[in-house]
Amino acid sequence: SAPMYWGGIDAERSHLLANAPHLAQPLPFVMPAYHWWEAPFYGVGLKMYDLLAGKAGLGPTEFLSAAQTRQLLPTAQTAQLHGGVKYWDGQFDDARLALVLARSAAQAGALLLNYCEAVDVLHTGTQVSGLRCRDSETGATTEIAARCVVNATGVWVDALREKDAAAAGRPMRAMVAPSQGVHLVVEREFFPGDHALLVPKTADGRVLFAVPWLGKVILGTTDTPRPDLAREPEPFADEVAFILNESARYLQRAPRRADVKSVWVGLRPLVKPPEDDGHGTKAISREHTVLVSRSKLVTVTGGKWTTYRAMAEDVLTKCAQAGLLPGLGASATARHRLVGAPAPDAPTVRLSEPPGEHLYGQERAFVQALPGAERWIAPHLSEAMVRFAARYEYARTVEDVLARRNRLLFLDARAAAQAASAVAAILQDELGRTGDVDAFVELAAQYTQLP
């Protein structure tokens, strides 16, 4: 069905757009109607949602004629096009948003440990009292005492829950059923413009979208159950076939397999809350689940990026209710602007445009002042940006830089592989380590391979 939002998601989306305007922006979507009933069916629902959203909405839903739909989606199929519906959502750079959240937390006094794996849950008596952690680079282990431990590890939350339950000698029922979504990235020539396309129900009932993002177009997506938790899951052949075949139904020029610049897979933590996890506190919503075990391990999973702040607020509320963090004051994060956020009246560059220094917001001038600002080692990636990643964004490896500080791996995997050696040389200069070029090149090859 068309995207619908519940439980204050509009307010959270507004907070995100205001607190990180260089990384999150409104995006208009168009649903083309190829049957007479589609525009009124979806449009009326979205209009009703506009009323519920009120001032938190990003823009009004509009009914479009066939001519208006063709203007906004110039490469969409026009045969039997009856019209369309335009509505507003948002888009963001998820990796860079994670970075500025981490750096904003550090700025507020948090201690961040990168490449530090939680390998066990410590107990004092029957209560969780900390974690045993391992430095992934040196192999050294250490124990960290804590009166409150929050397990926020996404699709991997059950691994820590299992260790907690085993220490107490009780069974554990898994609360996450992973599902994977596949995305194909192609050039903008297949789908130019600043509007996204959404087909809410394809012939087999799945959703298809084409979204302009960082100079490319993302085609997706799938929702396929996956029993394993691979760090780099690979797409299934039928998932790729679905996206390419359905794209051919809705785009005048259909991308072929050879046109795919990168293929990547994300794992979603679909929550199935355990019914027998002791007598702990459990809070369930449509968006996320917070669970406090008998031994007071706090677990949160599910949800979505848009509601990350509300999820964190909910977690802390449950921690306080469980007596783990007494005396917490009211949250002040709703209007806490994140690191690099430009002034409210500053012009922004749309996220549909190629990545570059504009994604650094107020820190753009600082990046430009670093050595190598004029030397470009890959499309939209300068030497100075790599140095900034190593010095201030916790980057340790080539993958850190080319996948999660700059998004080149996800935009053009072959170009990312070509840039690996140059990035490694800069990391050697900055950190005294090369950052595993061969491993990254092998990873990039996986992002170019279609089953």
Side-chain angles (χ1 to χ4, degrees), residues 300-317:
V300 57
T301 194
K304 59 184 68 177
W305 257 111
T306 308
T307 55
Y308 80 88
R309 196 205 65 83
M311 289 172 65
E313 205 170 67
D314 193 18
V315 168
L316 293 180
T317 297

Side-chain angles (χ1 to χ4, degrees), residues 197-405:
L197 175 147
L198 178 77
V199 179
K201 191 173 184 180
T202 60
D204 66 356
R206 288 187 279 188
V207 173
L208 176 74
F209 60 69
V211 177
W213 187 67
L214 299 179
K216 306 290 185 183
V217 174
I218 301 176
L219 302 174
T221 184
T222 58
D223 190 3
T224 308
R226 181 155 194 145
D228 62 334
L229 291 171
R231 185 177 183 274
E232 289 290 348
E234 298 184 10
F236 300 123
D238 61 333
E239 294 178 304
V240 172
F242 161 75
I243 295 174
L244 291 177
N245 291 341
E246 291 301 314
S247 296
R249 288 168 55 90
Y250 294 97
L251 298 180
Q252 294 179 18
R253 183 186 168 204
R256 300 165 300 171
R257 293 170 63 91
D259 296 315
V260 176
K261 311 298 288 186
S262 184
V263 53
W264 36 277
V265 181
L267 292 178
R268 304 183 184 97
L270 301 184
V271 181
K272 48 177 185 180
E275 300 172 352
D276 55 353
D277 197 73
H279 302 286
T281 302
K282 183 167 60 176
I284 303 172
S285 78
R286 294 178 64 92
E287 301 300 333
H288 62 273
T289 294
V290 182
L291 181 74
V292 183
S293 72
R294 286 180 183 175
S295 56
K296 305 300 185 183
L297 175 67
V298 182
T299 295
V300 57
T301 194
K304 59 184 68 177
W305 257 111
T306 308
T307 55
Y308 80 88
R309 196 205 65 83
M311 289 172 65
E313 205 170 67
D314 193 18
V315 168
L316 293 180
T317 297
K318 300 303 179 292
C319 291
Q321 292 173 349
L324 299 171
L325 294 175
L328 283 180
S331 171
T333 55
R335 292 175 176 80
H336 187 105
R337 291 172 66 78
L338 302 180
V339 166
D345 58 347
T348 58
V349 178
R350 294 194 62 83
L351 289 172
S352 58
E353 298 304 315
E357 293 169 341
H358 58 277
L359 295 178
Y360 294 83
Q362 283 193 324
E363 296 183 307
R364 179 176 186 171
F366 186 66
V367 175
Q368 292 174 331
L370 293 176
E374 302 301 323
R375 290 190 288 274
W376 297 87
I377 61 178
H380 316 295
L381 177 65
S382 70
E383 177 183 321
M385 293 161 74
V386 179
R387 295 188 185 279
F388 186 84
R391 296 183 189 185
Y392 307 108
E393 295 180 330
Y394 308 99
R396 302 291 294 169
T397 67
V398 173
E399 181 182 350
D400 285 347
V401 174
L402 292 175
R404 295 178 178 87
R405 275 64 175 176

Side-chain angles (χ1 to χ4, degrees), residues 3 27-31 46 60-62 85-89 198:
L27 177 69
F29 277 74
V30 173
M31 293 189 291
L46 288 166
T61 297
E62 302 174 45
V85 179
K86 175 182 174 181
Y87 72 96
W88 288 84
D89 204 329
L198 178 77

Side-chain angles (χ1 to χ4, degrees), residues 125-150:
T126 60
Q127 301 295 297
V128 170
S129 58
L131 292 172
R132 180 174 293 110
C133 299
R134 178 172 57 225
D135 185 324
S136 299
E137 293 182 357
T138 67
T141 61
T142 188
E143 293 186 353
I144 301 175
R147 60 181 177 181
C148 182
V149 175
V150 177

